[in-house]
PDB file of all heavy atoms in Angstrom:
ATOM      1  N   ALA A1208       0.842  -1.198   0.000  1.00  0.00           N
ATOM      2  CA  ALA A1208       0.000   0.000   0.000  1.00  0.00           C
ATOM      3  C   ALA A1208       0.874   1.243   0.000  1.00  0.00           C
ATOM      4  O   ALA A1208       1.909   1.284   0.669  1.00  0.00           O
ATOM      5  CB  ALA A1208      -0.930   0.003   1.212  1.00  0.00           C
ATOM      6  N   SER A1209       0.462   2.247  -0.747  1.00  0.00           N
ATOM      7  CA  SER A1209       1.139   3.537  -0.750  1.00  0.00           C
ATOM      8  C   SER A1209       0.170   4.598  -0.260  1.00  0.00           C
ATOM      9  O   SER A1209      -0.974   4.677  -0.725  1.00  0.00           O
ATOM     10  CB  SER A1209       1.641   3.885  -2.158  1.00  0.00           C
ATOM     11  OG  SER A1209       2.258   5.152  -2.162  1.00  0.00           O
ATOM     12  N   GLY A1210       0.643   5.413   0.682  1.00  0.00           N
ATOM     13  CA  GLY A1210      -0.193   6.466   1.249  1.00  0.00           C
ATOM     14  C   GLY A1210       0.446   7.026   2.492  1.00  0.00           C
ATOM     15  O   GLY A1210       1.653   6.900   2.713  1.00  0.00           O
ATOM     16  N   ASP A1211      -0.365   7.659   3.309  1.00  0.00           N
ATOM     17  CA  ASP A1211       0.105   8.202   4.582  1.00  0.00           C
ATOM     18  C   ASP A1211       0.396   7.050   5.547  1.00  0.00           C
ATOM     19  O   ASP A1211      -0.480   6.233   5.815  1.00  0.00           O
ATOM     20  CB  ASP A1211      -0.965   9.138   5.155  1.00  0.00           C
ATOM     21  CG  ASP A1211      -0.493   9.860   6.397  1.00  0.00           C
ATOM     22  OD1 ASP A1211      -0.424   9.205   7.457  1.00  0.00           O
ATOM     23  OD2 ASP A1211      -0.181  11.061   6.311  1.00  0.00           O
ATOM     24  N   ILE A1212       1.618   6.976   6.060  1.00  0.00           N
ATOM     25  CA  ILE A1212       2.045   5.831   6.870  1.00  0.00           C
ATOM     26  C   ILE A1212       1.181   5.658   8.119  1.00  0.00           C
ATOM     27  O   ILE A1212       0.809   4.532   8.480  1.00  0.00           O
ATOM     28  CB  ILE A1212       3.531   5.966   7.271  1.00  0.00           C
ATOM     29  CG1 ILE A1212       4.422   5.912   6.034  1.00  0.00           C
ATOM     30  CG2 ILE A1212       3.918   4.865   8.260  1.00  0.00           C
ATOM     31  CD1 ILE A1212       4.371   4.612   5.275  1.00  0.00           C
ATOM     32  N   ASP A1213       0.845   6.754   8.788  1.00  0.00           N
ATOM     33  CA  ASP A1213       0.032   6.644  10.002  1.00  0.00           C
ATOM     34  C   ASP A1213      -1.335   6.042   9.704  1.00  0.00           C
ATOM     35  O   ASP A1213      -1.830   5.183  10.446  1.00  0.00           O
ATOM     36  CB  ASP A1213      -0.140   8.022  10.655  1.00  0.00           C
ATOM     37  CG  ASP A1213       1.160   8.545  11.254  1.00  0.00           C
ATOM     38  OD1 ASP A1213       2.045   7.713  11.544  1.00  0.00           O
ATOM     39  OD2 ASP A1213       1.286   9.773  11.416  1.00  0.00           O
ATOM     40  N   ILE A1214      -1.925   6.483   8.592  1.00  0.00           N
ATOM     41  CA  ILE A1214      -3.244   5.958   8.216  1.00  0.00           C
ATOM     42  C   ILE A1214      -3.143   4.494   7.805  1.00  0.00           C
ATOM     43  O   ILE A1214      -3.968   3.660   8.197  1.00  0.00           O
ATOM     44  CB  ILE A1214      -3.857   6.807   7.084  1.00  0.00           C
ATOM     45  CG1 ILE A1214      -4.132   8.220   7.579  1.00  0.00           C
ATOM     46  CG2 ILE A1214      -5.135   6.161   6.557  1.00  0.00           C
ATOM     47  CD1 ILE A1214      -4.614   9.180   6.515  1.00  0.00           C
ATOM     48  N   LEU A1215      -2.115   4.168   7.026  1.00  0.00           N
ATOM     49  CA  LEU A1215      -1.937   2.788   6.587  1.00  0.00           C
ATOM     50  C   LEU A1215      -1.728   1.861   7.782  1.00  0.00           C
ATOM     51  O   LEU A1215      -2.262   0.750   7.821  1.00  0.00           O
ATOM     52  CB  LEU A1215      -0.746   2.676   5.628  1.00  0.00           C
ATOM     53  CG  LEU A1215      -0.874   3.385   4.279  1.00  0.00           C
ATOM     54  CD1 LEU A1215       0.398   3.202   3.462  1.00  0.00           C
ATOM     55  CD2 LEU A1215      -2.085   2.871   3.508  1.00  0.00           C
ATOM     56  N   THR A1216      -0.952   2.310   8.759  1.00  0.00           N
ATOM     57  CA  THR A1216      -0.697   1.502   9.949  1.00  0.00           C
ATOM     58  C   THR A1216      -1.990   1.250  10.716  1.00  0.00           C
ATOM     59  O   THR A1216      -2.274   0.126  11.146  1.00  0.00           O
ATOM     60  CB  THR A1216       0.327   2.200  10.860  1.00  0.00           C
ATOM     61  OG1 THR A1216       1.546   2.400  10.133  1.00  0.00           O
ATOM     62  CG2 THR A1216       0.603   1.359  12.093  1.00  0.00           C
ATOM     63  N   GLU A1217      -2.782   2.298  10.848  1.00  0.00           N
ATOM     64  CA  GLU A1217      -4.056   2.167  11.554  1.00  0.00           C
ATOM     65  C   GLU A1217      -5.000   1.215  10.818  1.00  0.00           C
ATOM     66  O   GLU A1217      -5.682   0.392  11.440  1.00  0.00           O
ATOM     67  CB  GLU A1217      -4.714   3.544  11.686  1.00  0.00           C
ATOM     68  CG  GLU A1217      -6.092   3.518  12.328  1.00  0.00           C
ATOM     69  CD  GLU A1217      -6.790   4.873  12.236  1.00  0.00           C
ATOM     70  OE1 GLU A1217      -6.134   5.871  11.898  1.00  0.00           O
ATOM     71  OE2 GLU A1217      -8.004   4.908  12.496  1.00  0.00           O
ATOM     72  N   GLN A1218      -5.033   1.317   9.504  1.00  0.00           N
ATOM     73  CA  GLN A1218      -5.980   0.553   8.711  1.00  0.00           C
ATOM     74  C   GLN A1218      -5.557  -0.906   8.481  1.00  0.00           C
ATOM     75  O   GLN A1218      -6.396  -1.800   8.411  1.00  0.00           O
ATOM     76  CB  GLN A1218      -6.181   1.234   7.344  1.00  0.00           C
ATOM     77  CG  GLN A1218      -6.977   2.524   7.386  1.00  0.00           C
ATOM     78  CD  GLN A1218      -8.463   2.279   7.495  1.00  0.00           C
ATOM     79  OE1 GLN A1218      -9.007   1.382   6.857  1.00  0.00           O
ATOM     80  NE2 GLN A1218      -9.144   3.082   8.313  1.00  0.00           N
ATOM     81  N   LEU A1219      -4.237  -1.147   8.349  1.00  0.00           N
ATOM     82  CA  LEU A1219      -3.797  -2.447   7.840  1.00  0.00           C
ATOM     83  C   LEU A1219      -2.951  -3.277   8.802  1.00  0.00           C
ATOM     84  O   LEU A1219      -2.562  -4.394   8.458  1.00  0.00           O
ATOM     85  CB  LEU A1219      -2.999  -2.245   6.538  1.00  0.00           C
ATOM     86  CG  LEU A1219      -3.773  -1.625   5.373  1.00  0.00           C
ATOM     87  CD1 LEU A1219      -2.855  -1.427   4.172  1.00  0.00           C
ATOM     88  CD2 LEU A1219      -4.970  -2.494   4.985  1.00  0.00           C
ATOM     89  N   SER A1220      -2.660  -2.784   9.977  1.00  0.00           N
ATOM     90  CA  SER A1220      -1.797  -3.534  10.895  1.00  0.00           C
ATOM     91  C   SER A1220      -2.395  -4.878  11.295  1.00  0.00           C
ATOM     92  O   SER A1220      -1.664  -5.779  11.732  1.00  0.00           O
ATOM     93  CB  SER A1220      -1.499  -2.696  12.147  1.00  0.00           C
ATOM     94  OG  SER A1220      -2.698  -2.318  12.795  1.00  0.00           O
ATOM     95  N   ALA A1221      -3.690  -5.048  11.114  1.00  0.00           N
ATOM     96  CA  ALA A1221      -4.320  -6.329  11.432  1.00  0.00           C
ATOM     97  C   ALA A1221      -3.838  -7.449  10.505  1.00  0.00           C
ATOM     98  O   ALA A1221      -3.979  -8.630  10.824  1.00  0.00           O
ATOM     99  CB  ALA A1221      -5.843  -6.206  11.329  1.00  0.00           C
ATOM    100  N   PHE A1222      -3.247  -7.075   9.357  1.00  0.00           N
ATOM    101  CA  PHE A1222      -2.797  -8.073   8.393  1.00  0.00           C
ATOM    102  C   PHE A1222      -1.325  -8.453   8.572  1.00  0.00           C
ATOM    103  O   PHE A1222      -0.778  -9.221   7.783  1.00  0.00           O
ATOM    104  CB  PHE A1222      -3.029  -7.563   6.968  1.00  0.00           C
ATOM    105  CG  PHE A1222      -4.473  -7.275   6.664  1.00  0.00           C
ATOM    106  CD1 PHE A1222      -4.962  -5.976   6.699  1.00  0.00           C
ATOM    107  CD2 PHE A1222      -5.353  -8.308   6.381  1.00  0.00           C
ATOM    108  CE1 PHE A1222      -6.294  -5.702   6.439  1.00  0.00           C
ATOM    109  CE2 PHE A1222      -6.690  -8.054   6.121  1.00  0.00           C
ATOM    110  CZ  PHE A1222      -7.162  -6.748   6.148  1.00  0.00           C
ATOM    111  N   GLY A1223      -0.661  -7.895   9.566  1.00  0.00           N
ATOM    112  CA  GLY A1223       0.728  -8.252   9.825  1.00  0.00           C
ATOM    113  C   GLY A1223       1.539  -7.060  10.260  1.00  0.00           C
ATOM    114  O   GLY A1223       1.040  -5.931  10.353  1.00  0.00           O
ATOM    115  N   SER A1224       2.806  -7.312  10.536  1.00  0.00           N
ATOM    116  CA  SER A1224       3.722  -6.230  10.913  1.00  0.00           C
ATOM    117  C   SER A1224       4.289  -5.620   9.634  1.00  0.00           C
ATOM    118  O   SER A1224       5.009  -6.300   8.890  1.00  0.00           O
ATOM    119  CB  SER A1224       4.858  -6.781  11.781  1.00  0.00           C
ATOM    120  OG  SER A1224       4.348  -7.340  12.973  1.00  0.00           O
ATOM    121  N   PRO A1225       4.004  -4.355   9.374  1.00  0.00           N
ATOM    122  CA  PRO A1225       4.434  -3.766   8.099  1.00  0.00           C
ATOM    123  C   PRO A1225       5.911  -3.383   8.111  1.00  0.00           C
ATOM    124  O   PRO A1225       6.498  -3.115   9.165  1.00  0.00           O
ATOM    125  CB  PRO A1225       3.574  -2.507   8.001  1.00  0.00           C
ATOM    126  CG  PRO A1225       3.297  -2.126   9.418  1.00  0.00           C
ATOM    127  CD  PRO A1225       3.212  -3.403  10.195  1.00  0.00           C
ATOM    128  N   HIS A1226       6.522  -3.404   6.937  1.00  0.00           N
ATOM    129  CA  HIS A1226       7.827  -2.775   6.802  1.00  0.00           C
ATOM    130  C   HIS A1226       7.723  -1.715   5.709  1.00  0.00           C
ATOM    131  O   HIS A1226       6.901  -1.808   4.804  1.00  0.00           O
ATOM    132  CB  HIS A1226       8.925  -3.815   6.510  1.00  0.00           C
ATOM    133  CG  HIS A1226       8.940  -4.333   5.111  1.00  0.00           C
ATOM    134  ND1 HIS A1226       8.268  -5.473   4.731  1.00  0.00           N
ATOM    135  CD2 HIS A1226       9.580  -3.874   3.992  1.00  0.00           C
ATOM    136  CE1 HIS A1226       8.482  -5.718   3.451  1.00  0.00           C
ATOM    137  NE2 HIS A1226       9.265  -4.758   2.971  1.00  0.00           N
ATOM    138  N   ILE A1227       8.551  -0.680   5.852  1.00  0.00           N
ATOM    139  CA  ILE A1227       8.519   0.450   4.928  1.00  0.00           C
ATOM    140  C   ILE A1227       9.519   0.168   3.799  1.00  0.00           C
ATOM    141  O   ILE A1227      10.690  -0.076   4.051  1.00  0.00           O
ATOM    142  CB  ILE A1227       8.880   1.767   5.636  1.00  0.00           C
ATOM    143  CG1 ILE A1227       8.031   1.936   6.899  1.00  0.00           C
ATOM    144  CG2 ILE A1227       8.674   2.947   4.687  1.00  0.00           C
ATOM    145  CD1 ILE A1227       6.543   1.938   6.677  1.00  0.00           C
ATOM    146  N   PHE A1228       9.020   0.211   2.583  1.00  0.00           N
ATOM    147  CA  PHE A1228       9.880  -0.079   1.440  1.00  0.00           C
ATOM    148  C   PHE A1228      10.752   1.130   1.107  1.00  0.00           C
ATOM    149  O   PHE A1228      10.254   2.251   1.026  1.00  0.00           O
ATOM    150  CB  PHE A1228       9.042  -0.432   0.210  1.00  0.00           C
ATOM    151  CG  PHE A1228       9.858  -0.693  -1.025  1.00  0.00           C
ATOM    152  CD1 PHE A1228      10.486  -1.915  -1.205  1.00  0.00           C
ATOM    153  CD2 PHE A1228      10.009   0.294  -1.996  1.00  0.00           C
ATOM    154  CE1 PHE A1228      11.248  -2.161  -2.337  1.00  0.00           C
ATOM    155  CE2 PHE A1228      10.776   0.059  -3.129  1.00  0.00           C
ATOM    156  CZ  PHE A1228      11.396  -1.175  -3.300  1.00  0.00           C
ATOM    157  N   THR A1229      12.017   0.887   0.906  1.00  0.00           N
ATOM    158  CA  THR A1229      12.937   1.908   0.425  1.00  0.00           C
ATOM    159  C   THR A1229      13.718   1.339  -0.747  1.00  0.00           C
ATOM    160  O   THR A1229      14.179   0.186  -0.694  1.00  0.00           O
ATOM    161  CB  THR A1229      13.917   2.367   1.523  1.00  0.00           C
ATOM    162  OG1 THR A1229      14.568   1.221   2.084  1.00  0.00           O
ATOM    163  CG2 THR A1229      13.187   3.118   2.617  1.00  0.00           C
ATOM    164  N   GLU A1230      13.863   2.132  -1.781  1.00  0.00           N
ATOM    165  CA  GLU A1230      14.592   1.697  -2.976  1.00  0.00           C
ATOM    166  C   GLU A1230      16.056   1.540  -2.645  1.00  0.00           C
ATOM    167  O   GLU A1230      16.684   2.450  -2.083  1.00  0.00           O
ATOM    168  CB  GLU A1230      14.410   2.719  -4.099  1.00  0.00           C
ATOM    169  CG  GLU A1230      14.759   2.197  -5.479  1.00  0.00           C
ATOM    170  CD  GLU A1230      13.686   1.262  -6.037  1.00  0.00           C
ATOM    171  OE1 GLU A1230      12.605   1.729  -6.408  1.00  0.00           O
ATOM    172  OE2 GLU A1230      13.974   0.050  -6.074  1.00  0.00           O
ATOM    173  N   ILE A1231      16.630   0.394  -2.980  1.00  0.00           N
ATOM    174  CA  ILE A1231      18.029   0.128  -2.670  1.00  0.00           C
ATOM    175  C   ILE A1231      18.873   0.388  -3.905  1.00  0.00           C
ATOM    176  O   ILE A1231      18.588  -0.121  -4.989  1.00  0.00           O
ATOM    177  CB  ILE A1231      18.220  -1.326  -2.197  1.00  0.00           C
ATOM    178  CG1 ILE A1231      17.402  -1.577  -0.924  1.00  0.00           C
ATOM    179  CG2 ILE A1231      19.689  -1.645  -1.973  1.00  0.00           C
ATOM    180  CD1 ILE A1231      17.434  -2.999  -0.432  1.00  0.00           C
TER     181      ILE A1231
END
């Protein structure tokens, strides 16, 4: 998911522990 991290965490944390993608 792409969007505001705080909102995404609130909405989707029930599906697992998220990690933030950074281009390597």
Side-chain angles (χ1 to χ4, degrees):
S1209 178
D1211 186 285
I1212 295 297
D1213 291 338
I1214 295 174
L1215 294 179
T1216 301
E1217 176 189 347
Q1218 288 281 319
L1219 297 178
S1220 58
F1222 300 100
S1224 299
H1226 76 267
I1227 309 302
F1228 178 79
T1229 53
E1230 197 75 72
I1231 299 176

